[in-house]
Amino acid sequence: MVMFRRLTVVLLAVFSLALATRIWTPEELNRHLLMYQPAWSCRPETLLLGPRRFNYLHRIKLLCEFLVRYQVSDSTSPDYGGIIEAEHLPNIIETDNTQEALWVWTRWYELTGRDEYRQNINRAWHYILNHPAYQEHQGSPANIWYAVWNCGLGMWAEALYRRVYQDSSYLFYGDSCRNFYLTHPLNPANYLENFVTAQSSGMAYDYARERNDPVLKDTALVRGMRVKNWIEESARNRLGFQNWAMCGGTAFWGVAKTFGQEDTIAGRQWLLTYAESLPGFYPTGTWNCSHNIWLANAYRAAAELTNNPTYFIYHQYLTDTLLMKDTDLDGGIPATWTDPNIQDQTWVSTYLDFMGMDRLVSPVYDQDLALLQFIDPELGRLYLVGETIDVRLPIANVGRNNSTLATLTLFVANVPVDSTTVPALPFLATDTFAFSHLALNTSGPLELRAVLSPDQNPANDTIRQPLKVYKHCTVTGTLIDSLNRSPVTAKIRAQLFGRNEIWDSTTTDSAGNFSLTLIDSIFALTIEPPPPYHHFTQNIRFNADTSITLYAQPAAVLIVNNDTLSNYTGYYTTTLDTLGVTYCVWLRRSQGPLPGALLDRLQNRTVIWFTGNSRYQTVPVLDQDTLSQFLSQGGNLLLTGQNIAEDLAGTVFLESIAGCRFDSSGYSGFLVFGNRADSVGREVIGSATAGGNGANNQTSRDIIEPVNNSRLFLVYDTTTNLGAGVRNQLNSGGRVIALGFGFEAVNRPASRPNYFTRVQLMNTMLQWLIYGTGIAETPGIKAQPRASLTAFPTVFRQHLHLYSSQPVTVTIFDLSGRTVLSTRIPVGKTRLKLSSLGAGVYFLRSGDTAPISLVKIK
């Protein structure tokens, strides 16, 4: 059984009463629609239809008892016979809970012939007739969907009761629900009301067929077709959506029960087509246990109408997964995956029966033992040649009566190896039987098969457990430099492919040699050589003792961390990982001064030097000399840190090498923009150095200005052009970028989706450092020039804000060069209304200045 990862959940603040299934107000529903939609989760394509993990009939019995405990038994109470919402919500008693419980108890009698819940059923009818479905929540017009939902349940519960007990005493109630459903169509533009339409129409269609009611049948079909068309408009989005207690799986089920049953040929094709847009699991969301059992119900309907075994697998997989939430074995589960077991809720627990377990217990035989999943050997565990393992198997009585004697036989590779007698098991009992220990003497695939005989139901009397028995392999090898073939020392870690734990690890000797003890499988070998080499991982299949050669390659970039505590490296490495740029890391505080010989071996001869929170010795003198020598030979340097310019003010390294002069520190703003007068800077729309997913460590941003023919390419604001970033090309061909802030703090604000991320900004800088992009403009950009004209925002809907240092005439023209606006603006700020322009790309110009690109969006 596939183990689930821990699922995180998004909790909305719109609920009171600890997330009860009380009716939501229209405001809450609208807020939910606007605020939350979970990511679509892929279906588990690799699942196999395995043996049962549970005695489902026993679990249904636990549920029946759970519902008994939460039925109001005080005959003087106005809620007598009603079902309480949840363990932690004793004051909420509602009709939907009660109708569902009535169905569960009635179905128990039909399955087992045991009528121990007749009194509970009678009490439930008492409550239902006093609180009919169509009066739920006083039939408020704003919430009429809730009454329609309940009427679907009412028809469904009454029909089962009448068939099982041959009692038509409550037929009038089913017909009253039918009449309410007919006269109250719901809004087809609303997600939730489409879900309710699907649920109620699916139940109404079955009621109509059973009652031979053409009017109800045609109405249910028409409404089901309406939901079908709605799904088709955006299948992935609508089938992946969750709202209240329902979801896209509800909509799919309703179409299957109406259109799918009316036209079985066309319906089968539709189900096969659109089931591909169903998720495999709703991992987050309030009440996502409810959403996932509806999803199981959708796959069940698809399976029953198409006979596609994959959908049966998904149905059982989801059902079993939700049954795992009954950790206290009280028969109930919570509504949300992350809720504790002291918040089990009756309504979602009944869902788990009629949408999940019911198919897995049908039909029920008088005498029926079922083999459940092996306890030992365990699925997914690794077994090695020479081991002796336990073989243990649970057997459940899933029949109506106590079982009779049976024989259980174990086969290994189709050869019988052991047999045992299974004694009579009481009704609903499960027992575990152990075979003799099994010695694993040979490697390779192996199948265990257990067979039970005799029995009335052979479908659950055979169980198979595949094993792979592995052998040890010794892997020896050598790690060498990819260029000069010299040996390289490194740490090597071996992990079984797809697993996190380390199987074996070693360090190469001075000759680059190593040895690992592995097994015949696929391993991920992670090699961690020192700079200038980058770390790398290779996936290799080993079938026997093997000798291999691994090649270490110099990194493209060296990251030097000179932070006080050696923090923040991850902000740089993850950025370079995203860009596909290889790197190695030098921790200046622990590893000492930077070796010059190291730099010459880098593939792209590029160093990123960052200082994090360091205020002093940001670039020590020894390292200044090393970097200067490196740059004089054509190397590249990105120098970034909030205190570097202040610390190095007036030094030759800062002014002659980095090409910038320290102006002041402590700039209070947190945005940075590209200098539009610079060919590199104009590519940078903007970014931030505070908040978001950045390091949030900037307390003293430096203002810098270019000197010695360097260029200002980043500014803190576009009005005064206070310098934030300078780029300098040396006569040697080396290139330097110096930033007055720490790159680790860069992020794209959520309110500025067009701004640059760390990845985008790093890519722009590396493109210039390594490849020299954007160096065609004329030299000599002056420090802090006064911008004649600035525009904000450059991506706008209705209005554009301009700032000019003097009265000017501005012209806006489109891509064809056609002028769409020309106007005179005064000194200072001007607000232009441009709502009449169509969406598209435009340019704004004043005189002979470079045009500013603008994007008008709808």
Side-chain angles (χ1 to χ4, degrees), residues 727-742:
R727 61 186 180 92
N728 186 30
Q729 183 165 357
L730 302 171
N731 292 333
S732 64
R735 298 189 182 96
V736 184
I737 286 179
L739 303 181
F741 57 89

Side-chain angles (χ1 to χ4, degrees), residues 84 142 177 182 314 319 414 453 469 489 510 529 591 812 854:
I84 295 170
C177 292
L182 285 175
Y314 296 160
T319 301
N414 291 321
S453 63
V469 183
T489 59
S510 59
Q591 293 177 266
I812 298 177
L854 307 170

Side-chain angles (χ1 to χ4, degrees), residues 658-824:
C660 65
R661 179 180 295 127
F662 172 68
D663 179 279
S664 59
S665 65
Y667 179 72
S668 59
F670 61 89
L671 296 177
V672 293
F673 304 91
N675 182 4
R676 297 187 181 282
D678 179 73
S679 63
V680 175
R682 73 176 58 131
E683 302 296 324
V684 182
I685 297 171
S687 197
T689 61
N693 62 357
N696 286 303
N697 65 328
Q698 304 299 290
T699 60
S700 181
R701 299 169 183 84
D702 286 342
I703 298 173
I704 56 178
E705 60 182 52
V707 293
N708 300 324
N709 291 324
S710 62
R711 297 177 172 86
L712 183 69
F713 87 102
L714 291 180
V715 296
Y716 287 117
D717 69 80
T718 55
T719 302
T720 60
N721 277 5
L722 295 176
V726 168
R727 61 186 180 92
N728 186 30
Q729 183 165 357
L730 302 171
N731 292 333
S732 64
R735 298 189 182 96
V736 184
I737 286 179
L739 303 181
F741 57 89
F743 173 82
E744 66 272 8
V746 170
N747 72 93
R748 176 171 60 195
S751 60
R752 300 285 191 273
N754 61 323
Y755 275 23
F756 269 33
T757 62
R758 274 195 305 278
V759 171
Q760 290 172 297
L761 182 58
M762 179 63 78
N763 184 58
T764 299
M765 294 189 294
L766 289 182
Q767 287 291 324
W768 181 74
L769 285 170
I770 297 173
Y771 303 111
T773 57
I775 58 174
E777 71 284 312
T778 57
I781 300 174
K782 303 299 182 182
Q784 298 186 3
R786 296 287 291 179
S788 60
L789 181 68
T790 57
F792 179 83
T794 55
V795 179
F796 65 98
R797 294 182 184 274
Q798 301 291 334
H799 300 95
L800 185 67
H801 298 271
L802 303 179
Y803 181 94
S804 179
S805 58
Q806 56 188 1
V808 292
T809 298
V810 297
T811 302
I812 298 177
F813 52 97
D814 61 18
L815 284 170
S816 67
R818 178 176 62 91
T819 298
V820 296
L821 176 70
S822 181
T823 186
R824 185 78 173 172

Side-chain angles (χ1 to χ4, degrees), residues 188-202:
N190 180 287
Y191 273 65
L192 177 59
E193 296 196 18
N194 271 293
F195 294 160
V196 173
T197 296
Q199 167 266 338
S200 56
S201 298

Side-chain angles (χ1 to χ4, degrees), residues 11 27 33 63 85 132 164 174 184 242 355 382 574 585 591 639 751 755 791 810 821 848:
L11 296 179
E27 292 76 17
L33 187 64
L63 169 62
E85 184 91 350
V164 171
H184 291 84
Q242 302 154 257
M355 298 188 206
L382 296 172
T574 55
V585 177
Q591 293 177 266
L639 191 64
S751 60
Y755 275 23
V810 297
L821 176 70
D848 60 355

Side-chain angles (χ1 to χ4, degrees), residues 423-456:
L425 294 180
F427 176 60
L428 301 181
T430 299
D431 202 355
T432 299
F433 293 83
F435 291 103
S436 301
H437 296 303
L438 180 65
L440 304 178
N441 297 320
T442 58
S443 64
L446 187 67
E447 183 186 74
L448 276 61
R449 178 167 55 93
V451 179
L452 189 68
S453 63
D455 194 57
Q456 283 187 330

Side-chain angles (χ1 to χ4, degrees), residues 144 148 180-188 193 197 223 226:
I144 207 69
V148 173
F180 190 91
Y181 166 82
L182 285 175
T183 55
H184 291 84
L186 300 177
N187 181 4
E193 296 196 18
T197 296
R223 293 181 186 177
R226 184 185 302 152

